[in-house]
Amino acid sequence: MPQDNVYPIIYVRGYAMTPGEVADAVDKPHMGFNLGATRVRQSWDGKVQKQIFESPLVRLMKDYGYTDAFSEGAELDRSIGLKTVVIYRYYDQADKEFGDGDALSIMAAARRLGKLVENIRKDLVGNQVVSDSEFRVHLVAHSMGGLIVRCLLQNESVASGRVRSSIARVFTYATPHNGIDMIGLNVPAFLSLWDINNFNRKVMAQYLGMSGKPRSVNSLEGKFEPDDFFCLVGTNHKDYEAAGGLSRRLAGEMSDGLVAIENATVKGAPRAFVYRSHSGPYGIVNSEEGYQNLVRFLFGDVRVDGILEVEEVPLPGKVEEARAAGKQVRASYYFEATVSPRGAGNYRLTERRRETFSAVLRKFDEMFRPNELGISAPRSPVLFSTFLDSSRITVERGRTLVMAVELAVSPTDYLIDGKLWFEDRIPGEYLFRDTIVLRLTPQPDGGWSVRYILADENQGDGDGRKADQEGESYFIPVSSRKGFKARLELKLSRRNQS
């Protein structure tokens, strides 16, 4: 029986636009999954640090014992095992020496992906590696590859229910789940040159088999469990060099250089934000951050969700005076959260920051007066969904998982009766900022011992204080002398490994 959620991994590469890019893709055996990197930017400050990342493929081989499916120049020409990476080479069809020279449509590529899944099933079941009922695969996709995967999962005319139920988990890097926008406009449906209209929302709704005429297309519509679908979002537009830098200028700052941050997630699915561009030397696939999120999501056994329940936000003195005098005051707030597991010296699992345009933004009324906006409950900021792997804990460290959350809260500009307030305004002022070290220890009864340390003023290697428990959630009070007050809610769950 498969253990620890180890299944074959199928990698689905992203979009190749021009004939030259198609030829370049076809010439690479592993379609880019073998590409590494030697440089990493220290976030948005522009500094570069030397760091050798061998590639996701090599790391899966070294860390987890995976191998590829190639043998003596052929694909799937031998019996494969559970720890196999299979490269889905759907662009071979677009090469005149391998195919007819025409790129497959999204639906055609998804159909062939379904056939590949069945071929892998036939091999593993036929060789008694797994039973038919146990057979599963993981799908890992970059960019447009994620749309091919969604077409397979959502369009019932593309693959059988047997194929769809064989998909254990899906991980996407920088996929335009809600299409691609340039200068704020969705790419037009008539732009069929090089299949660019694959990223038009009306066209996407058709090949995804979505009902009606949805305005947004980033929903799985109940066809696949969102908890088993992970979205990794790039936030570095500066280092994307495609089209001589034209793409990043048209996509804008709130993007990875091609895909807008707001378009790169699926509704209800866990996601992480990393300071990486869509591709290239600082790309999202060939990154330590990408790999660490990938393996924790596929093989990890613990999920931690962090939500901030805001109780009080202070107003500057003169803004409070204006509010007390009956003037209309409007403000929004940035919530920044960076998460790192113990031992992560050169990567972060997720970082949502103002400087990378990825911080959570909430209006005052969303948090404190939801009825005035027609919503039933306050919109508390969801800060992170992080996956951890207890098998990485050494014997010396016992059973405790340790992670750090850098949390910061700051206001936007204040509007008083519709006018910006500048007087005595201090740019870059924070209402709260601290690093919270979390110590999570599983208990025999299935619960958790959750302890925390506010590390900006305390040593981070102590035992800390015990978090309050209410039902299945754990709460950590956070406050500042300025008057900010909130509770960090933690939801912990063990994941089914079968």
Side-chain angles (χ1 to χ4, degrees):
M1 177 180 290
Q3 298 295 318
D4 300 328
N5 213 42
V6 171
Y7 301 115
I9 294 171
I10 301 177
Y11 177 67
V12 187
R13 67 151 287 142
Y15 172 60
M17 184 171 71
T18 67
E21 291 176 352
V22 171
D24 184 61
V26 172
D27 286 341
K28 290 183 170 64
H30 298 97
M31 291 286 181
F33 203 51
N34 62 316
L35 296 180
T38 60
R39 305 167 190 263
V40 59
R41 287 206 186 277
Q42 289 299 91
S43 200
W44 54 87
D45 60 11
K47 295 180 181 179
V48 175
Q49 176 182 335
K50 183 178 180 180
Q51 177 191 326
I52 305 299
F53 175 67
E54 303 96 320
S55 80
L57 180 64
V58 172
R59 289 291 293 276
L60 283 166
M61 291 177 172
K62 291 173 64 174
D63 298 345
Y64 292 89
Y66 271 76
T67 185
D68 63 27
F70 301 142
S71 177
E72 297 182 356
E75 303 171 64
L76 294 175
D77 193 36
R78 60 178 172 83
S79 294
I80 64 173
L82 291 176
K83 293 185 176 182
T84 303
V85 176
V86 179
I87 307 299
Y88 177 35
R89 297 181 55 84
Y90 66 92
Y91 265 118
D92 285 356
Q93 177 68 29
D95 187 280
K96 291 183 179 179
E97 295 178 347
F98 292 157
D100 60 14
D102 293 326
L104 295 174
S105 67
I106 295 286
M107 288 185 64
R111 288 193 183 98
R112 291 198 180 188
L113 176 58
K115 292 178 181 178
L116 176 59
V117 171
E118 285 292 78
N119 287 340
I120 296 172
R121 176 199 296 273
K122 181 178 179 181
D123 188 284
L124 291 179
V125 174
N127 287 289
Q128 299 183 340
V129 177
V130 293
S131 68
D132 190 70
S133 62
E134 292 172 340
F135 172 75
R136 299 287 188 278
V137 296
H138 295 309
L139 301 182
V140 177
H142 175 229
S143 192
M144 189 183 76
L147 299 180
I148 293 173
V149 169
R150 284 185 58 196
C151 181
L152 172 76
L153 296 174
Q154 294 184 238
N155 192 324
E156 296 179 354
S157 70
V158 165
S160 66
R162 169 184 160 105
V163 168
R164 295 195 301 274
S165 64
S166 299
I167 311 305
R169 289 174 183 161
V170 176
F171 185 97
T172 63
Y173 301 92
T175 290
H177 288 295
N178 198 39
I180 289 179
D181 296 336
M182 292 293 170
I183 56 173
L185 301 174
N186 191 208
V187 294
F190 63 79
L191 194 57
S192 59
L193 178 66
W194 298 322
D195 296 323
I196 293 175
N197 58 354
N198 280 335
F199 311 110
N200 173 269
R201 282 185 272 276
K202 291 182 180 179
V203 174
M204 291 174 66
Q206 294 174 3
Y207 65 68
L208 292 174
M210 302 186 79
S211 56
K213 297 180 179 180
R215 297 182 63 181
S216 61
V217 292
N218 60 334
S219 170
L220 296 174
E221 293 199 318
K223 302 297 180 62
F224 191 78
E225 176 56 54
D227 285 344
D228 292 325
F229 197 111
F230 191 95
C231 303
L232 191 64
V233 183
T235 62
N236 175 11
H237 78 289
K238 297 178 180 179
D239 286 317
Y240 190 55
E241 298 295 341
L246 178 62
S247 172
R248 68 168 179 260
R249 289 192 291 272
L250 295 178
E253 293 176 324
M254 300 175 68
S255 74
D256 62 7
L258 179 64
V259 180
I261 293 172
E262 64 179 3
N263 286 341
T265 59
V266 162
K267 292 179 181 177
R271 72 282 307 264
F273 299 76
V274 295
Y275 191 68
R276 289 284 176 170
S277 60
H278 192 75
S279 62
Y282 301 98
I284 195 167
V285 177
N286 52 311
S287 70
E288 186 73 29
E289 296 92 337
Y291 174 74
Q292 295 292 343
N293 276 287
L294 171 68
V295 295
R296 282 174 170 79
F297 175 69
L298 295 186
F299 311 129
D301 56 348
V302 176
R303 173 173 172 172
V304 186
D305 292 282
I307 304 100
L308 195 66
E309 289 187 1
V310 182
E311 298 173 346
E312 296 179 23
V313 289
L315 294 175
K318 293 188 177 180
V319 177
E320 175 59 28
E321 289 176 8
R323 187 199 64 80
K327 295 184 178 181
Q328 185 185 64
V329 174
R330 288 287 181 264
S332 296
Y333 298 86
Y334 292 109
F335 297 88
E336 303 177 67
T338 297
V339 178
S340 304
R342 174 167 47 189
N346 55 12
Y347 67 88
R348 302 174 177 93
L349 289 180
T350 185
E351 56 177 327
R352 307 196 68 170
R353 293 189 179 273
R354 289 177 57 177
E355 292 87 346
T356 59
F357 306 99
S358 57
V360 182
L361 182 65
R362 286 288 185 271
K363 297 178 182 178
F364 181 91
D365 287 354
E366 288 180 288
M367 297 183 292
F368 296 102
R369 295 192 290 241
N371 292 336
E372 293 189 12
L373 300 178
I375 55 180
S376 58
R379 290 193 65 211
S380 296
V382 179
L383 301 177
F384 58 85
S385 295
T386 295
F387 296 85
L388 303 173
D389 188 349
S390 62
S391 68
R392 292 170 175 250
I393 302 175
T394 62
V395 175
E396 293 78 10
R397 289 174 173 169
R399 298 177 298 122
T400 299
L401 294 157
V402 180
M403 57 185 280
V405 180
E406 298 174 40
L407 177 61
V409 182
S410 58
T412 63
D413 292 326
Y414 295 98
L415 287 175
I416 300 177
D417 283 347
K419 297 180 181 180
L420 278 173
W421 175 72
F422 292 107
E423 187 177 359
D424 300 328
R425 178 79 166 94
I426 300 175
E429 180 181 7
Y430 282 92
L431 303 179
F432 175 87
R433 183 163 51 179
D434 209 331
T435 299
I436 305 170
V437 177
L438 302 174
R439 302 179 61 84
L440 317 172
T441 307
Q443 301 298 294
D445 62 0
W448 294 85
S449 169
V450 177
R451 304 186 74 87
Y452 68 94
I453 301 168
L454 298 179
D456 279 11
E457 295 185 2
N458 301 279
Q459 294 293 339
D461 58 354
D463 289 334
R465 299 178 180 178
K466 186 176 181 180
D468 297 326
Q469 183 175 1
E470 297 179 14
E472 297 183 354
S473 293
Y474 300 83
F475 290 89
I476 296 170
V478 294
S479 61
S480 71
R481 294 179 181 178
K482 293 182 178 180
F484 177 81
K485 187 177 180 181
R487 296 196 306 171
L488 175 61
E489 179 185 6
L490 300 175
K491 295 181 178 181
L492 287 80
S493 58
R494 292 180 173 88
R495 307 175 75 208
N496 185 0
Q497 297 296 298
S498 63

